[in-house]
Amino acid sequence: MSMSRLLLNKFPSRQLSKLPSTLIRGDLGLFSAIRNRTLSTSSVAGTTLSTEDYDVIIVGGGPAGLALAGALTSYDTVRDNIRIGLVEAGDLDRIRAWCQHDGTYSNRVSSITNESREFLENIGAWGFIEESRTTPVQDMQVWDGISDARIYFSAREFQESGPSSSTRPYMATMTENLSIQRALLRLLDRYPQVKLLDNIKVDDILPDSNERGGWPLVKLSDGRTLRARLLIGADGFNSPVKKYAGIQTYGWAYDTHAVVATLHHSPMYPNMPFTAYQRFLPTGPIAFLPLSETSASLVWSTRPHLAKTLKQLEPDAFRRMVNAAFRLPTLSMQYLHDILSQDNDMKAEQIAEEIRWREESHNISPHSNLSSSHEDLQGVGGAGVGGYSGEADMPPLVTSVQPGSIASFPLRMSHAEEYLGTGLRSRTVLVGDAAHTVHPLAGQGLNMGLADVNSLAKCIRDAVSVGADIGSRTALLPYPAARYFENHKLLSATDKLHKIYSTENPPLVWARSVGLEVINELPFVKGLLMTNAGSTSAKSERTAGDDVLDVAANVIEVAARTAATGSSIMHALATAGGNTLRNAMRR
């Protein structure tokens, strides 16, 4: 192997241009091609291809891929010494030009933890986000749809009881995904070192068969071929990079779809905190996430046939079902689901009448905030509508649904068996949804991806700083060491929560309710949970996911004890009561 090829495998190309020419005088032609980025040739299965060399190729222009490119450009040593390319099948110009009218929002939003926000601030992306389109989540209320056991979180209370210098007065920031992508693109447009290749698909990925140690060759739909020292898959669950690397994924699809929509409601009362609400129903959790004083984002996880039915409802009928889902007892919600499954053409007036009758049967006063029909007494949007009147504990009543915002998508849990390719398929790494997908009940999918990106960018920075090969397994190993188990903890905890709250078994409902109420009465424990969930600013080199995943470990322990408690009670009752009671409990 020539000296130039040895140097090529060892150093990023911009560092090569700074080496004395005496080191490479044996092959000046090759070095000149590398330094000036002219096309080189590569052989694959006996075929000669024209290729373009990159130090890093990122496949995927979603939030994770763009954030990784932005993170790399934030380090001078990386930005000045390696060449970065990003391949995206979609049109990035549409994201650059994305703009919503005042009072309207995209239906895909994320709860950005303070750790993730700090990461975006540090790389210079947050400054490009339109602050008026973000909302701080100051309080959170979560409750059991069967027992009504609740837990309350307040960032303000924790800030008052803790060191104010180390906390923000909110737990997270609601931000539209497209707003994050647009901000990252505006950041990257300042750095010509990153070449954005959009409207181009990856047709195939093959290993190079020449002396370069099997660098991945990425064949694009426009006929070009890119050769990467390091190939990064930020390309989602069906990742071509993951397929090329031969990395297997384990997990399962849930019998659940998430219905999303942008909701409008009556104005909040003055000085009321922005509060996120989540109710766990047996069919899945429903979440109300504040976007402004009069708008919110809905994420309703439910059975696929119910999701299909909800999407087919007229907007006024849909909003009435949303209001009822936060208020009606589970038995009545199940009845509404049953009649909708039989007749998905029900009109809003029919649903309203059914809800009124169910509320009367449960002795719910039409003037109570537990009633979703009292709007009909006062008029939609009238005074008193909204549920912020002291009785509280309910989100504002939805008055309308943003046209065209109702959509749904299937949910699944998956985790790649490893994040790095090996053998002939080395020099590959996975981040974000290409590495893992999670149920949205914890709202941590994007935060996990940003934590991956933060960790991987530091690995690449460290390798460049010491002149190491950024595509070598040795240089990349700190990334999976930092992220794999942390992601696994959150995936496992979220999966267990989904399963625990999907059961209507009385002992398990009792056990999970007692656990939730006990934690709610322990301010110190709640403070620790909020700290771990990202309500404090990082003062160390911890990644954004570390704090969140500490919570996941605690949740796993609580969930396991809850399940064990419920099983023990059921066993004791069954033994005392015989087969009749056992069958009743199982039912």
Side-chain angles (χ1 to χ4, degrees):
M1 182 181 295
S2 69
M3 177 61 74
S4 294
R5 293 192 185 278
L6 284 171
L7 292 172
L8 175 61
N9 279 321
K10 177 67 176 175
F11 295 102
S13 301
R14 286 188 174 85
Q15 286 186 356
L16 279 174
S17 63
K18 301 175 183 179
L19 295 176
S21 59
T22 53
L23 291 177
I24 52 168
R25 61 176 178 265
D27 197 349
L28 289 176
L30 177 61
F31 176 72
S32 177
I34 299 165
R35 182 186 60 197
N36 296 320
R37 291 304 182 191
T38 57
L39 294 179
S40 57
T41 60
S42 176
S43 59
V44 179
T47 302
T48 300
L49 302 172
S50 295
T51 64
E52 189 175 350
D53 292 327
Y54 285 84
D55 296 299
V56 173
I57 291 290
I58 302 168
V59 179
L66 293 173
L68 178 57
L72 293 176
T73 62
S74 70
Y75 299 122
D76 293 342
T77 53
V78 176
R79 185 176 64 247
D80 296 338
N81 290 291
I82 71 172
R83 191 185 191 205
I84 304 167
L86 185 145
V87 180
E88 164 58 30
D91 185 359
L92 294 179
D93 283 337
R94 293 183 62 183
I95 298 175
R96 287 188 181 92
W98 173 77
C99 181
Q100 291 278 122
H101 296 296
D102 290 343
T104 64
Y105 295 86
S106 166
N107 61 4
R108 297 301 298 270
V109 300
S110 292
S111 174
I112 302 299
T113 64
N114 291 337
E115 261 51 52
S116 293
R117 175 168 176 164
E118 186 169 314
F119 162 70
L120 293 172
E121 289 172 346
N122 289 340
I123 68 174
W126 192 264
F128 292 100
I129 289 179
E130 193 176 342
E131 284 280 358
S132 62
R133 299 192 66 83
T134 68
T135 301
V137 178
Q138 298 162 309
D139 290 4
M140 183 183 299
Q141 297 190 30
V142 181
W143 69 99
D144 191 313
I146 296 178
S147 69
D148 283 335
R150 287 175 180 262
I151 187 167
Y152 302 80
F153 294 100
S154 172
R156 296 168 302 152
E157 290 179 6
F158 180 71
Q159 186 185 35
E160 292 170 1
S161 62
S164 59
S165 61
S166 63
T167 62
R168 297 180 190 247
Y170 45 86
M171 291 179 283
T173 304
M174 297 306 304
T175 312
E176 295 157 292
N177 289 3
L178 285 170
S179 181
I180 296 174
Q181 288 178 266
R182 184 179 63 180
L184 288 164
L185 283 171
R186 289 175 177 176
L187 172 68
L188 292 174
D189 286 342
R190 300 172 57 187
Y191 297 105
Q193 295 91 334
V194 179
K195 188 169 185 179
L196 301 177
L197 307 171
D198 61 339
N199 293 307
I200 299 174
K201 296 181 180 179
V202 173
D203 280 348
D204 200 6
I205 307 175
L206 303 167
D208 194 351
S209 61
N210 70 4
E211 299 180 20
R212 298 193 179 180
W215 286 22
L217 293 173
V218 183
K219 300 179 67 176
L220 304 180
S221 58
D222 65 352
R224 280 184 289 180
T225 299
L226 312 180
R227 178 165 43 210
R229 181 189 302 274
L230 175 61
L231 179 62
I232 300 171
D235 44 354
F237 175 72
N238 296 311
S239 165
V241 175
K242 181 165 58 180
K243 181 179 179 181
Y244 161 77
I247 297 175
Q248 299 298 311
T249 298
Y250 69 87
W252 42 82
Y254 294 116
D255 184 26
T256 306
H257 282 203
V259 178
V260 296
T262 300
L263 311 175
H264 300 299
H265 56 80
S266 55
M268 296 167 51
Y269 286 112
N271 302 318
M272 290 299 295
F274 287 106
T275 304
Y277 297 87
Q278 186 171 46
R279 185 189 190 193
F280 279 89
L281 298 168
T283 51
I286 179 171
F288 177 101
L289 308 170
L291 296 177
S292 73
E293 292 187 350
T294 57
S295 299
S297 180
L298 171 77
V299 183
W300 188 349
S301 300
T302 189
R303 301 287 184 261
H305 70 280
L306 292 176
K308 181 179 179 181
T309 299
L310 288 170
K311 288 196 302 180
Q312 292 173 343
L313 293 175
E314 59 185 42
D316 192 48
F318 180 85
R319 74 167 182 88
R320 290 178 183 275
M321 285 297 296
V322 171
N323 287 332
F326 281 105
R327 292 166 172 81
L328 272 184
T330 302
L331 179 64
S332 289
M333 281 305 302
Q334 182 60 57
Y335 177 78
L336 287 178
H337 290 159
D338 289 342
I339 62 174
L340 280 178
S341 297
Q342 298 169 11
D343 181 11
N344 56 18
D345 291 328
M346 286 186 68
K347 302 301 181 183
E349 295 77 11
Q350 295 174 282
I351 293 177
E353 182 59 34
E354 193 63 52
I355 291 174
R356 276 194 295 271
W357 189 91
R358 305 302 295 184
E359 289 178 351
E360 290 176 4
S361 68
H362 292 294
N363 294 318
I364 297 175
S365 167
H367 301 287
S368 166
N369 284 331
L370 294 176
S371 170
S372 61
S373 61
H374 73 268
E375 60 181 328
D376 297 318
L377 300 178
Q378 304 173 15
V380 173
V385 177
Y388 283 117
S389 64
E391 187 178 18
D393 299 340
M394 291 293 157
L397 284 170
V398 178
T399 56
S400 63
V401 181
Q402 182 175 303
S405 68
I406 302 175
S408 71
F409 52 90
L411 303 179
R412 64 180 304 118
M413 191 281 284
S414 67
H415 203 190
E417 290 186 349
E418 52 189 332
Y419 293 171
L420 306 181
T422 59
L424 295 177
R425 304 304 171 97
S426 60
R427 297 185 176 276
T428 52
V429 61
L430 305 178
V431 297
D433 286 354
H436 43 71
T437 56
V438 63
H439 194 292
L441 68 86
Q444 294 304 318
L446 180 54
N447 293 305
M448 292 170 69
L450 294 179
D452 292 347
V453 163
N454 191 13
S455 178
L456 179 58
K458 290 177 180 177
C459 282
I460 296 173
R461 175 202 62 187
D462 293 343
V464 173
S465 297
V466 298
D469 179 1
I470 61 173
S472 69
R473 188 172 182 82
T474 302
L476 296 172
L477 274 176
Y479 163 60
R483 295 301 310 151
Y484 194 91
F485 183 59
E486 299 300 324
N487 287 334
H488 177 78
K489 287 193 297 184
L490 183 52
L491 288 166
S492 178
T494 304
D495 183 62
K496 285 180 172 61
L497 275 175
H498 168 71
K499 291 174 179 175
I500 287 172
Y501 277 94
S502 295
T503 182
E504 298 180 67
N505 185 287
L508 288 178
V509 172
W510 175 84
R512 76 194 185 200
S513 301
V514 169
L516 198 64
E517 291 182 334
V518 167
I519 293 175
N520 190 53
E521 295 301 321
L522 299 173
F524 177 73
V525 175
K526 288 204 298 182
L528 289 177
L529 291 174
M530 287 172 53
T531 300
N532 288 335
S535 63
T536 60
S537 301
K539 296 297 181 182
S540 66
E541 288 299 313
R542 293 178 302 174
T543 63
D546 290 337
D547 290 343
V548 175
L549 293 165
D550 287 340
V551 177
N554 294 333
V555 171
I556 290 176
E557 183 178 3
V558 172
R561 290 180 179 178
T562 299
T565 301
S567 298
S568 298
I569 293 171
M570 182 161 55
H571 177 72
L573 291 175
T575 301
N579 291 334
T580 301
L581 184 55
R582 181 186 299 112
N583 292 336
M585 297 302 296
R586 286 178 176 173
R587 195 180 325 120

